[in-house]
Amino acid sequence: MSAARVLGVDSGGSGLRVALAPADGPAEATTAVSRTPVRTSAAGIDAADMMDQLLPMVRSLLADAGAPTDAPAAVAVGAAGMATLGDDLRAALPDAMRRELGVGRIALAGDAVTAYAGALGQRPGAVVAAGTGMIALGSDLTGWRRADGWGHLLGDSGGGAWIGREGLDAALRAFDGRRGGSAALLALAEERFGSAGELPGRIYPRTDRPAALASFAPDVARCATDGDPVAREVLRRAAAHIAEAAAAVCPADGGEVALTGGLFRMGEPLLAPLRAELAEQLPGATVTSATGDPLHGSLVIAAALATDGLRLPCDGRLLAVA
C-alpha cells in the first residue's frame, strides 16, 4: 500500500456514511453517503445488507484516492443498536470485510462509542449524544458506563422525542382545559400537525413515531424563547435529565463532559439550563463541545487500531475488535 488508509463507517436510522482517511490524519477524510438505512429484523442488524451498501461506496472512495486495489489498514464500524442488535454483524461482518476488502483489523462499535471517540478521542470523560434520543457514555479507559439510550417508550429522557412529547402533552392540556397547558404550544402543534383532536391518529400509527415527536422539539424551544413558562419548564426538566445521565457515567475524578448531537443546535433555550444543571450535578467537570461527530470517531478508532494505539476499552459488545 502506498499510504496507509483507514475506513470509518457510521450506520443509523438516517442511512449509512463511509469515510476514507490517511491513518495518520483522520481529519483528512473523503466521504460517501447512502440515505437508505441498513435493514434490521428480529435477528438484528443485517450484515449482508450492510455489505451490499458498503462495498460500492468503499470501492469508489478507494478509486478516487488512486488506490483501487489497496486494502485499508483498518476499519471501524459504528452502528446504532450494536450492543443489542449487533449479533449478526459480529458474526458475519469481519469475515466479509476480509474476503471483499482484504482488511485485517476490524472494530465493531456502538454509535455511542463512536460518538465518544469523535468527541473526546481516547481521553477519559463522558459524552452525551442527544438527537431524537439521548444516551450518555463515560469511561476512565478501563471500562464503559452507560446511562439511558433506552428508546422513546422506556427512556431517552431529555432527548428530542421526549421534549416533543412533553410539549404536545402541554398542548393537549390546553386543548382540554387542564392545568399545565400552554396555548402557545397548542397553536404551534396545530400548525405542525393539524387539529389537536386528530393528533393521536396522526402520531400513533407512524413507523417513525420518535422522529415525529422530535419534530416538535424546535417548536418547544421557540415558545421558550418567546417566554412561555410551560415550554421553559419542559426544557429545564430536559436539561436535568441530560445532566443526571452525564453524572451517572462521568469518571469519579471528573474530567471532560462533551455534548454532541443535533439536539444541542437548539441553542440557549436548552443550553442555558443545561449548563446550570451540569454545574450543580458535576461541579468538577469541564463541559466542552465535541471535537467531531460519530463518523469522525469511527476513523479515530480505525486509525488507533491500525497503529496498535487503541486505548478505549474493548468489552465485546459496545466495542469489539476482530
Side-chain angles (χ1 to χ4, degrees):
M1 185 183 293
S2 56
R5 295 179 178 87
V6 294
L7 278 170
V9 179
D10 177 46
S11 174
S14 60
L16 189 67
R17 298 187 299 158
V18 185
L20 179 71
D24 59 357
E28 303 169 21
T30 56
T31 62
V33 178
S34 166
R35 299 298 180 190
T36 304
V38 175
R39 284 197 304 264
T40 301
S41 67
I45 304 166
D46 191 319
D49 186 51
M50 180 176 283
M51 284 299 295
D52 286 344
Q53 291 196 51
L54 269 179
L55 283 177
M57 290 192 285
V58 172
R59 286 169 177 158
S60 177
L61 288 172
L62 288 168
D64 290 345
T69 61
D70 283 357
V75 59
V77 177
M82 179 71 79
T84 54
L85 297 171
D87 286 348
D88 191 44
L89 293 184
R90 285 185 285 269
L93 207 62
D95 284 345
M97 286 191 161
R98 292 187 186 102
R99 183 175 62 251
E100 298 293 340
L101 296 172
V103 62
R105 298 186 178 196
I106 301 163
L108 304 177
D111 60 340
V113 172
T114 53
Y116 184 103
L120 293 179
Q122 299 198 85
R123 305 191 300 277
V127 169
V128 176
T132 297
M134 194 284 297
I135 187 170
L137 193 68
S139 182
D140 58 4
L141 301 189
T142 64
W144 296 106
R145 295 187 66 181
R146 163 190 168 158
D148 214 334
W150 302 121
H152 76 291
L153 291 178
L154 300 178
D156 285 354
S157 300
W162 185 95
I163 291 171
R165 191 252 176 223
E166 292 295 304
L168 291 173
D169 175 81
L172 290 174
R173 285 176 177 275
F175 181 74
D176 292 341
R178 290 179 287 149
R179 288 189 302 175
S182 164
L185 286 170
L186 174 59
L188 289 179
E190 293 196 318
E191 181 181 310
R192 182 173 293 276
F193 296 108
S195 170
E198 299 174 3
L199 188 57
R202 296 180 184 275
I203 296 292
Y204 290 162
R206 292 179 62 155
T207 57
D208 63 341
R209 192 183 309 120
L213 293 170
S215 73
F216 194 59
D219 296 307
V220 178
R222 175 178 161 188
C223 276
T225 300
D226 291 341
D228 182 76
V230 174
R232 284 185 171 181
E233 177 61 15
V234 169
L235 294 185
R236 188 203 64 76
R237 288 189 289 120
H241 285 308
I242 293 169
E244 286 166 0
V249 303
C250 198
D253 57 355
E256 293 178 81
V257 176
L259 307 177
T260 185
L263 188 70
F264 299 116
R265 290 197 290 270
M266 193 176 289
E268 285 303 296
L270 176 63
L271 292 177
L274 180 55
R275 283 193 294 267
E277 288 286 346
L278 288 169
E280 179 180 339
Q281 297 191 41
L282 281 169
T286 301
V287 181
T288 65
S289 297
T291 303
D293 68 2
L295 182 60
H296 174 71
S298 68
L299 287 171
V300 169
I301 292 171
L305 193 60
T307 57
D308 296 318
L310 185 63
R311 294 188 290 120
L312 296 175
C314 296
D315 67 352
R317 297 195 74 80
L318 282 173
L319 178 59
V321 174

